[in-house]
Amino acid sequence: MNTLPKPAMRPARPEFSSGPCAKRPGWNPETLANAVLGRSHRSKLGKARLKEAIDRTRAVLQVPDDFLIGIVPGSDTGAVEMAMWSMLGPKPVQLLAFESFGKDWVTDVTKQLKIEAEVLSAPYGRLPDLAKVRRDADLVFTWNGTTSGVRVPNADFIAADREGIVICDATSAAFAQALDWAKLDVVTFSWQKALGGEGAHGVLILGPRAVERLESYTPAWPMPKLFRMTKGGKVNLEIFEGSTINTPSMLCVEDAVDALKWAEAIGGLAEMRRRADANLAILADWVAKTPWVEFLPEDPATRSNTSVCLKVVDPRIAGLSDDAQADFAKKLASLLEKEGVALDIGGYRDAPPGLRIWCGATVETSDVDALTPWLDWAFASVAAELLAA
């Protein structure tokens, strides 16, 4: 029986989901009052609002002036697949696979596009051998593994004089980690992550080398309308000025604009990164003094400051079968949700059993701090129930 009393403090906002993530502090539905509704997204007002989302993204994320920014369908997945279907083929391809979405890109490239790519893989908790990344090959990789809590510490493994293009899935890294724009040719993310926006829309950012590839290479396979970025052999610049390929939700656009205004108001990218780092630091301090839990990433330099993944290392639990460990983790997450102190923090379905706590900038550090004693309480409760069975 658990004799540990329930903590006195509770997180003011229990939303720790890794996507869609917590709304920005102070958000309420009235922030969407000026959304362009009942109007065409191609109207002057609709296009202006889409352009505002693009311009504010450039300012907050510090995107170089010679990069193009477009709003595309299909969330981050759609943005990554647009890039791969449109650009891969003329050069050798390498993929980094160290979590579930990186593995999805491997399936897309090798099974659907049928390109004989080299896959540099690693188990959950580790990075592949980055020294094997070639300068003469195209590269597809996730900067931050949302489902593993592992990130690349920097882009030093990418050659400055590379011949191939680099496609970077940055969906849980953008607005929280230092993206090296000089090393990246395609960057993608979705509003539902670090901005706390709504789903369904992706952001696709193209550097000059990506544009050159689009205008010099035509894929051998059919291209769906949603993936077509060129017209008459040139990049269709209208896509990157607010004329989306298909109809976007203007409510979602308004929500993204609101989040970007908030980001700018609090101090921009530097403050968003600081907030995420502060949230991770709270958990790191707690993990350091808590014997039953550890980070899933083995190397501190590769720990995500957004999608923080934890594993239970208590010998009583770690010695159970895989199914029993998974059941224990589910009970932990369910109990915390039942108490209303942490929602949706179970590990990703394909990841090792554990917890995943979103620590991006829209989460208040005080809420992360208030959560940690509840994690201890929940562990003691579920462990006591297991031992009593």
Side-chain angles (χ1 to χ4, degrees):
M1 180 178 180
N2 180 18
T3 58
L4 191 66
K6 291 184 180 180
M9 296 293 293
R10 306 170 69 89
R13 296 194 303 160
E15 291 85 15
F16 295 100
S17 164
S18 290
C21 302
K23 309 299 285 185
R24 56 97 171 162
W27 183 94
N28 65 72
E30 293 179 2
T31 63
L32 307 181
N34 293 324
V36 182
L37 305 181
R39 296 288 307 275
S40 169
H41 61 294
R42 302 196 187 283
S43 67
K44 185 176 181 180
L45 186 59
K47 289 175 69 174
R49 190 71 93 252
L50 287 158
K51 185 64 162 54
E52 181 179 358
I54 290 171
D55 290 345
R56 290 186 179 276
T57 296
R58 185 182 301 278
V60 174
L61 202 52
Q62 300 177 8
V63 179
D65 291 342
D66 57 350
F67 280 56
L68 304 177
I69 304 175
I71 298 168
V72 302
S75 194
D76 176 65
T77 299
V80 174
E81 291 184 333
M82 283 180 70
M84 294 193 300
W85 256 253
S86 300
M87 301 181 200
L88 296 183
K91 287 187 176 293
V93 177
Q94 289 185 309
L95 299 105
L96 303 185
F98 54 94
E99 52 92 49
S100 63
F101 288 99
K103 294 176 182 178
D104 285 343
W105 311 146
V106 171
T107 298
D108 280 356
V109 172
T110 61
K111 303 297 184 184
Q112 301 301 319
L113 296 178
K114 302 186 185 306
I115 294 174
E116 293 185 4
E118 179 184 8
V119 179
L120 303 178
S121 62
Y124 280 87
R126 301 180 189 175
L127 282 174
D129 184 356
L130 301 181
K132 294 182 178 179
V133 172
R134 296 161 47 182
R135 62 181 294 277
D136 63 335
D138 292 339
L139 176 67
V140 181
F141 79 105
T142 53
W143 188 285
N144 183 98
T146 310
T147 65
S148 69
V150 174
R151 64 173 170 180
V152 296
N154 51 56
D156 292 352
F157 63 96
I158 300 171
D161 61 346
R162 65 193 180 280
E163 297 174 9
I165 60 166
V166 175
I167 298 174
C168 174
D169 172 359
T171 195
S172 55
F175 302 100
Q177 297 166 21
L179 301 177
D180 188 344
W181 293 102
K183 297 289 186 71
L184 308 175
D185 302 306
V186 179
V187 174
T188 69
F189 65 89
S190 65
W191 294 330
Q192 65 170 320
K193 297 293 185 182
L195 291 176
E198 295 303 303
H201 300 76
V203 175
L204 176 66
I205 304 178
L206 305 181
R209 300 175 78 255
V211 172
E212 181 183 6
R213 173 66 63 85
L214 285 170
E215 294 182 345
S216 63
Y217 166 66
T218 301
W221 42 80
M223 290 288 289
K225 176 183 177 181
L226 290 178
F227 287 3
R228 297 175 202 157
M229 291 183 278
T230 60
K231 182 184 294 185
K234 295 292 183 180
V235 167
N236 183 1
L237 293 178
E238 292 183 354
I239 297 172
F240 304 94
E241 295 171 354
S243 293
T244 55
I245 295 175
N246 73 329
T247 306
S249 163
M250 297 307 293
L251 270 175
C252 292
V253 172
E254 193 71 18
D255 193 51
V257 169
D258 171 74
L260 289 162
K261 287 180 178 178
W262 168 80
E264 186 175 16
I266 66 170
L269 181 61
E271 177 61 13
M272 293 189 79
R273 289 176 55 191
R274 188 205 66 77
R275 287 171 64 93
D277 287 343
N279 290 339
L280 172 61
I282 291 291
L283 287 180
D285 289 344
W286 170 73
V287 168
K289 63 184 180 184
T290 304
W292 66 265
V293 70
E294 187 52 81
F295 287 100
L296 182 58
E298 299 177 358
D299 181 357
T302 69
R303 288 177 190 160
S304 170
N305 63 349
T306 55
S307 55
V308 179
C309 293
L310 304 170
K311 60 183 178 180
V312 177
V313 294
D314 184 286
R316 297 169 297 174
I317 312 304
L320 299 174
S321 68
D322 290 346
D323 287 345
Q325 289 185 59
D327 183 62
F328 186 88
K330 288 179 181 178
K331 287 180 177 177
L332 268 182
S334 295
L335 181 57
L336 291 161
E337 182 160 347
K338 181 179 178 181
E339 291 291 333
V341 294
L343 308 178
D344 308 321
I345 67 167
Y348 191 72
R349 60 180 180 269
D350 294 333
L355 301 175
R356 182 172 58 153
I357 302 170
W358 184 259
C359 287
T362 61
V363 173
E364 297 280 27
T365 303
S366 57
D367 285 335
V368 180
D369 196 26
L371 173 63
T372 56
W374 282 97
L375 295 173
D376 286 324
W377 175 84
F379 173 79
S381 298
V382 178
E385 177 185 324
L386 175 69
L387 293 176

